[in-house]
Structure formats: structure tokens, C-alpha cells
Amino acid sequence: MRDPAARAGADLLIARIQLYDQGDATAAANTFRGIKEDALPDSARRNYRLTAADLVLYAEGYAAAVKRYAALSGLKGLDERRKMQLGGALLNVRNALVMKRYDDVIDYLDRLEQALPEMRLRPDLALLRGQAMLRDGKPRRAEAILNRALCLEPDPDTAAAVAFELAGACRADGRKSQAGTLLKRAIREAPQSRTAATAARMLEEINEEK
């Protein structure tokens, strides 16, 4: 591929597939490293910068990613208008998930992150996206997103919910040992929660299947 812009665009697409669809941050970083931002068309540069910020999460940790997103968005926090925007979007997302309108869930989250890039650092939103993809029959992409959620320093209840969703995906794929490890994490993260009680029952079922 001789056109530098076309080559850079193709490599960016590959890096994003590796990161967001396959959950392979190492491969994505290797691909991304060869891309020159100034070779990309203007329409692709936002995705380039978002991908760069997301890769920081895996390479340097949550605190470094927060700084990268703060620089990217130029925001010091959420003003009242943005808080209202976020609240309305979350209500739409949760309603769509309950009504099994999974494409709408993803669309609402995409639009929210378009307006507020720092929302990509919220583990509760990553959980909602992962749940929608799991229920829509896209387990591989869901696992990539849910594993990312665990890197976002979730609170105990969210961490337990994420681990439980991942355990269900692993169990459905025949990875019972990995499912068991995740279920134990769900119980450990929030031992008094409903999620922990459900995880304990699933763990018993898996142990009986062995």
C-alpha cells in the first residue's frame, strides 16, 4: 500500500480491532507504534488520539490514562449541563438494556463518549456496554470491554458485576477453571451483594460439573 494516508488509516483500523474487538493490547500497541498521526486524514485523528489514550491505560495504568484523557478533552470536571447530559444518557442506556435493544445501548454509549471522551474511563459504562454485547451474541468483543473495565479501578460492586459477567462468558465457552476464578473474585469484591450470592451458586454448579 503506497499511499501513506491509506496505510496509516488501515493500520489504525487494525490496531483498534486488536484492542477493542480482540482485547489484545500488546498487539494493538505494536501496530499503533508504527502509525504517524500527521499521515492520517483529519477525520481519523480523533480516533487516533482516543486509541492512544486507551493504550496508556494498559501500558501505564489508570492514573496515567486519566491524565491523558484530561489533556485530550481539556476538561477539569463535569459542569451541571454535562451532568444532566450524562444522567439522561445513562437512563436511556439502562432502559434500552432492560428492553433488549442492544444496538441502542451501544449507540447511546457511542454518542455519550463522542460528547464526553472521559466517559471511556468509567467502569460502570464499560460494564453496560459489555452486558449489551454479551446478550447480543458478541462474547469476544464483550470480554475485551469487560476486561478493560477491571483496569478502570471499579468500585467493589461494579468489579463484582464485571467479574460475574466475565465468568458467565467463560463458562459458556467451556473455560470452567477461568470462570471459577472470576466467580471467586466476584464474591471477594462484594461479599454481601446479590451478585456475590449469585456467583456462589454458579460456582457450586461448576464444581458439580467437574
Side-chain angles (χ1 to χ4, degrees):
M1 191 177 294
R2 295 181 179 179
D3 182 359
R7 175 61 183 271
D11 285 347
L12 179 59
L13 177 60
I14 291 169
R16 289 174 64 80
I17 289 172
Q18 290 168 328
L19 184 60
Y20 303 121
D21 293 353
Q22 300 173 358
D24 191 340
T26 300
N30 288 336
T31 302
F32 190 82
R33 198 172 293 118
I35 304 170
K36 294 182 178 179
E37 182 179 358
D38 57 8
L40 291 165
D42 291 343
S43 59
R45 293 189 181 187
R46 185 177 187 278
N47 278 340
Y48 174 90
R49 292 165 187 164
L50 291 174
T51 305
D54 285 341
L55 284 169
V56 167
L57 174 67
Y58 296 99
E60 302 176 36
Y62 178 74
V66 169
K67 291 180 181 178
R68 177 63 68 94
Y69 266 99
L72 182 65
S73 63
L75 296 176
K76 301 298 183 182
L78 293 176
D79 57 25
E80 289 304 312
R81 181 184 65 80
R82 287 176 178 267
K83 287 180 182 178
M84 290 180 63
Q85 183 180 5
L86 173 60
L90 287 178
L91 181 61
N92 288 336
V93 168
R94 293 193 172 102
N95 286 342
L97 190 60
V98 169
M99 297 176 69
K100 301 181 180 180
R101 300 198 327 262
Y102 304 124
D103 287 344
D104 286 346
V105 173
I106 302 304
D107 181 60
Y108 287 137
L109 289 172
D110 284 347
R111 283 191 280 167
L112 178 61
E113 292 175 1
Q114 180 78 16
L116 303 169
E118 66 274 25
M119 292 300 102
R120 296 165 73 88
L121 292 175
R122 285 192 48 156
D124 56 332
L125 299 187
L127 171 60
L128 291 170
R129 186 184 289 271
Q131 288 173 325
M133 287 189 168
L134 275 177
R135 287 150 182 71
D136 199 30
K138 301 170 183 173
R140 190 167 185 181
R141 295 180 68 188
E143 283 191 56
I145 290 163
L146 292 169
N147 278 313
R148 181 175 183 272
L150 291 177
C151 297
L152 297 174
E153 298 189 358
D155 62 69
D157 285 337
T158 302
V162 171
F164 180 78
E165 293 288 351
L166 279 168
C170 290
R171 183 188 186 190
D173 195 37
R175 291 171 283 154
K176 293 182 181 179
S177 177
Q178 189 174 349
T181 299
L182 286 161
L183 289 169
K184 291 174 184 177
R185 175 170 182 175
I187 296 166
R188 186 174 64 252
E189 290 281 1
Q192 304 303 316
S193 67
R194 183 178 298 178
T195 300
T198 308
R201 289 195 296 272
M202 184 184 290
L203 186 58
E204 287 180 6
E205 292 172 2
I206 290 175
N207 289 334
E208 290 172 359
E209 292 169 359
K210 292 180 179 179

